[in-house]
């Protein structure tokens, strides 16, 4: 079975189903059609909130369609699987005919199908594709994005990771209208959150999208009646910071840096790409040196560093963790797992 057939069978809006879909829409109450765009697991939190809210008898909207990334190879078996959002929607009984998986959001065939649904509003939550103007011009109430930062801080692909890498003590989630400029649209509302100094990126991301879904449901009536556009606040571009996409090359640690910098990086890069380091193990009997590559999972900054001058390059093992001397006379407790050994 080729991939184009699978996409058509599972996810494409096709002519044979359009008449049935039109019939369902005409028989429904005058709820405003909303299209949701999201792809990873954290996006399912938002979709679940929308499904639950739309099922209320007093709801003024319905989820008319879902747009998500195409099926891809995931997990160790490398099987081609639908995105987590597509899987979740199907499990909830959502029609496969109304799940779109375009390679790009600007594809003409996809935009034609989207226009046919006449969506009033689009909601995005970690969709993962750039939205061109011809997409943004379709919903009359606009497109609203849940962004896991306090905009205009950390605009870009990796706001949670970059905030943790910077050692931010506070972050949050913003609800903002989408414009062509990157994460630069007017802000409808935001929620602030203190950042625990041990929390890792996947956990913080899940918390922020959980809060973001609550924020969306709270503000959705104002978005749907148009009042949100009137109260939305323009961003101060002079205060904007960027959160560029993370690369695998950034995963290496250098113990010349202070322990707090390394600790923040471990938290930020948890999940993907992870963090790694190389250490030298010297055999005192023959002075033979082996280089061991370590995958670092969890760290903690030592409250007190008691390394003597002759121990500044020595790694010790205390209470089940490695204690590694770092720059600035600091040290780091490291929980590790062997990753690769070379001699």
């Amino acid at each position: 079975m080729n991939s184009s057939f699978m996409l058509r069978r599972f996810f494409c809006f096709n002519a044979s189903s359009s008449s049935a879909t039109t019939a369902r829409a005409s028989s429904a109450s005058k709820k405003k059609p909303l299209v949701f765009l999201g792809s990873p697991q954290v996006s399912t939190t938002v979709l679940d909130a929308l499904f639950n809210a739309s099922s209320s008898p007093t709801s003024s909207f319905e989820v008319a369609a879902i747009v998500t990334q195409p099926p891809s190879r995931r997990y160790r078996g490398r099987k081609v699987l639908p995105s987590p959002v597509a899987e979740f929607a199907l499990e909830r009984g959502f029609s496969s005919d109304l799940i779109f998986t375009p390679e790009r959001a600007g594809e003409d065939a996809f935009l034609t199908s989207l226009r046919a649904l006449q969506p009033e509003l689009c909601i995005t939550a970690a969709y993962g594709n750039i939205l061109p103007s011809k997409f943004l011009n379709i919903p009359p109430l606009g497109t609203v994005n849940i962004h896991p930062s306090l905009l205009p801080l950390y605009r870009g692909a990796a706001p949670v990771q970059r905030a943790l890498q910077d050692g931010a003590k506070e972050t949050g989630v913003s609800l903002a209208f989408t414009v062509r400029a990157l994460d630069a649209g007017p802000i409808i509302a935001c929620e602030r959150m203190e950042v625990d100094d041990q929390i890792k990126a996947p956990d913080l991301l899940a918390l922020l999208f959980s809060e973001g879904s609550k924020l969306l449901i709270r503000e959705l009536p104002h978005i749907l009646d148009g009042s949100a556009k009137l109260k939305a606040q323009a961003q101060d571009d002079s205060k904007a910071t960027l959160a560029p996409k993370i690369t695998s090359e950034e995963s290496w640690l250098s113990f010349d840096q202070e322990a707090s910098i390394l600790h923040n990086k471990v938290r930020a890069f948890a999940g993907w790409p992870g963090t790694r380091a190389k250490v030298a193990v010297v055999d005192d009997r023959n002075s033979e040196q082996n280089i061991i590559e370590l995958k670092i999972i969890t760290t903690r900054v030592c409250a007190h560093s008691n390394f003597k001058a002759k121990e500044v390059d020595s790694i010790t093992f205390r209470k089940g963790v490695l204690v590694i001397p770092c720059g600035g006379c600091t040290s780091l407790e490291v929980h590790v797992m062997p990753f690769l050994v070379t001699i």
Side-chain angles (χ1 to χ4, degrees):
M1 181 184 296
N2 61 45
S3 59
S4 62
F5 176 81
M6 183 170 70
L7 290 181
R8 184 167 62 251
R9 178 173 176 237
F10 284 100
F11 301 113
C12 283
F13 180 82
N14 52 50
S16 63
S17 64
S18 61
S19 59
T21 302
T22 302
R24 286 195 300 270
S26 62
S27 63
S29 60
K30 294 182 179 179
K31 290 187 175 184
K32 293 183 178 180
L34 176 154
V35 172
F36 175 77
L37 298 89
S39 298
Q41 188 63 40
V42 291
S43 304
T44 65
T45 302
V46 182
L47 181 57
D48 184 53
L50 288 171
F51 278 153
N52 293 338
S54 66
S55 65
S56 168
T58 60
S59 172
S60 61
F61 75 93
E62 62 182 356
V63 180
I66 293 168
V67 185
T68 188
Q69 292 281 2
S72 62
R73 296 187 184 276
R74 290 190 284 135
Y75 307 121
R76 292 187 177 182
R78 305 301 291 164
K79 293 182 179 179
V80 177
L81 297 171
S83 75
V85 159
E87 287 185 329
F88 177 78
L90 293 171
E91 289 170 2
R92 287 289 299 260
F94 195 78
S95 173
S96 60
D97 296 327
L98 295 173
I99 300 177
F100 299 89
T101 60
E103 291 286 346
R104 295 178 303 279
E107 293 177 6
D108 289 337
F110 161 65
L111 292 176
T112 298
S113 297
L114 186 64
R115 289 189 188 97
L117 292 171
Q118 298 181 319
E120 291 284 331
L121 174 71
C122 291
I123 301 291
T124 61
Y127 169 46
N129 261 342
I130 295 173
L131 301 179
S133 295
K134 55 186 177 179
F135 176 100
L136 297 175
N137 291 336
I138 292 175
L141 292 175
T143 296
V144 173
N145 182 46
I146 298 176
H147 187 78
S149 82
L150 295 173
L151 291 171
L153 301 179
Y154 299 108
R155 294 176 177 175
V160 171
Q161 295 91 329
R162 297 304 183 186
L164 287 178
Q165 187 179 8
D166 289 346
K169 301 299 183 184
E170 182 185 62
T171 187
V173 59
S174 301
L175 203 60
F177 285 105
T178 300
V179 296
R180 285 292 293 134
L182 180 66
D183 297 322
I187 299 171
I188 300 166
C190 66
E191 287 286 346
R192 296 179 177 272
M193 179 183 296
E194 291 185 1
V195 179
D196 182 86
D197 63 6
Q198 287 296 124
I199 196 168
K200 297 177 182 178
D203 297 325
L204 181 56
L205 188 65
L207 281 174
L208 290 172
F209 271 100
S210 177
E211 288 301 311
S213 65
K214 298 172 188 175
L215 187 64
L216 172 65
I217 299 305
R218 188 188 81 193
E219 295 295 328
L220 203 48
H222 308 298
I223 298 171
L224 291 171
D225 70 16
S227 61
K229 276 194 174 181
L230 300 177
K231 74 167 188 175
Q233 299 293 311
Q235 295 187 39
D236 185 348
D237 292 339
S238 68
K239 296 181 180 179
T241 60
L242 298 181
K245 184 178 179 180
I246 290 170
T247 66
S248 58
E249 290 76 16
E250 295 181 77
S251 65
W252 290 101
L253 300 184
S254 171
F255 294 108
D256 292 335
Q257 295 181 304
E258 292 188 10
S260 60
I261 294 174
L262 300 177
H263 173 64
N264 290 336
K265 189 171 184 179
V266 171
R267 296 191 297 139
F269 292 4
W272 192 90
T275 42
R276 298 175 290 169
K278 291 182 179 180
V279 298
V281 178
V282 179
D283 190 330
D284 290 337
R285 295 169 299 179
N286 54 22
S287 298
E288 183 177 331
Q289 178 174 290
N290 293 335
I291 304 298
I292 299 178
E293 184 177 315
L294 301 174
K295 183 175 181 179
I296 297 178
I297 306 299
T298 302
T299 57
R300 186 182 296 274
V301 178
C302 293
H304 303 285
S305 296
N306 297 315
F307 287 99
K308 298 177 183 178
K310 64 179 181 180
E311 297 176 329
V312 293
D313 292 324
S314 299
I315 298 174
T316 59
F317 191 70
R318 301 176 189 168
K319 298 179 180 180
V321 299
L322 297 176
V323 180
I324 302 178
C326 303
C329 297
T330 61
S331 56
L332 192 67
E333 294 181 3
V334 178
H335 300 258
V336 300
M337 59 184 297
F339 183 64
L340 177 66
V341 180
T342 57
I343 299 177

